[in-house]
Amino acid sequence: MTSSSSVRLPRGAKTRAPQVLASLETLYPDAACELEFRTPFELLVATVLSAQATDVSVNACTPALFDAYPDALALSQAEPEDIEPFIRRIGLYRAKAKNLVGLARQLVERHGGEVPNDFAAVVALPGAGRKTANVVLSNAYGYPAIAVDTHVGRLARRLALSVQTNPDKVESDLESLFPKASWVFTHHGLILHGRRVCYARKPHCAACLMATFCPKVGVEHAEG
């Protein structure tokens, strides 16, 4: 969890947050991570690959990748050029191949080949960061967190739950507004709503369950 934001929450944010949560629970009661994985290691790899890429594109390439490199030890023995053919259709695939090999080697050298249940240790892995650590630890180990991607950040601002643009500060604002037990669900629910209704360029406000209390309804959305 981040430290408290230095900027005040938008007016009415504390009233809207329960309404947002209730709407998400109605719309997406089974909201969960859409990356396909079987182990914490697979989730870590998939999450690193998902940066600036869709979950659909990641899920399309990871089965073959995981067949060839099922664990950190196997991946640590590869070279980036060995990984590139598996992920070539994903954006920034060369940098990601390098990071995957680097994180696998670090897992083997420092953590016995296992993904540690430790926030700082995951953040320190090549290609990882705060969002990756939140996604991996919350979905693999039940760590309470709201990981802020482009969808979560966009909805947080449109619903006037935060005025921040820095993902870490948005995370802090959201975690101050929602019950800790709901953080993981809130993260997944906001992502689904961003993908299915509250689009970046032309949000489908007419079909939105939150239209009655959303401050942005009827306002032209220029944010991408």
Side-chain angles (χ1 to χ4, degrees):
M1 184 171 62
T2 60
S3 59
S4 298
S5 170
S6 60
V7 178
R8 293 178 60 184
L9 293 169
R11 183 187 300 272
K14 292 182 179 180
T15 299
R16 274 187 300 279
Q19 296 175 301
V20 170
L21 181 57
S23 298
L24 295 177
E25 289 172 339
T26 298
L27 291 166
Y28 316 109
D30 300 318
C33 182
E34 294 194 317
L35 292 171
E36 296 173 358
F37 67 96
R38 295 165 296 186
T39 66
F41 170 74
E42 290 186 357
L43 177 58
L44 173 62
V45 170
T47 305
V48 169
L49 290 174
S50 71
Q52 300 183 49
T54 66
D55 289 356
V56 172
S57 67
V58 173
N59 290 338
C61 78
T62 49
L65 177 64
F66 294 149
D67 282 346
Y69 304 100
D71 53 34
L73 180 59
L75 187 57
S76 71
Q77 296 170 346
E79 296 297 331
E81 54 267 30
D82 299 324
I83 307 303
E84 289 178 5
F86 292 95
I87 63 173
R88 193 175 300 274
R89 294 186 178 183
I90 295 178
L92 306 174
Y93 73 92
R94 288 192 177 91
K96 290 176 180 178
K98 182 178 179 180
N99 285 332
L100 291 182
V101 172
L103 72 81
R105 291 174 180 174
Q106 192 163 311
L107 288 176
V108 171
E109 293 168 2
R110 302 184 184 180
H111 307 290
E114 300 297 326
V115 177
N117 186 3
D118 180 89
F119 187 85
V122 175
V123 169
L125 294 170
R130 186 171 193 89
K131 189 196 82 170
T132 295
N134 280 337
V135 170
V136 172
L137 296 184
S138 63
N139 289 283
Y141 299 125
Y143 178 90
I146 296 177
V148 178
D149 68 354
T150 55
H151 296 294
V152 175
R154 181 174 73 252
L155 267 66
R157 289 184 289 275
R158 284 184 176 171
L159 291 165
L161 300 172
S162 176
V163 297
Q164 303 287 356
T165 56
N166 180 289
D168 294 353
K169 293 180 179 180
V170 174
E171 178 188 340
S172 178
D173 285 347
L174 294 179
E175 290 183 352
S176 74
L177 288 169
F178 293 92
K180 193 171 186 177
S182 76
W183 286 355
V184 177
F185 169 81
T186 300
H187 157 73
H188 292 307
L190 288 172
I191 288 175
L192 289 180
H193 200 60
R195 288 174 177 169
R196 299 178 184 180
V197 179
C198 196
Y199 310 120
R201 294 187 179 180
K202 293 183 179 180
H204 195 11
C205 298
C208 182
L209 190 61
M210 304 185 204
T212 57
F213 59 82
C214 177
K216 294 295 185 181
V217 170
V219 176
E220 188 72 21
H221 296 294
E223 181 180 342

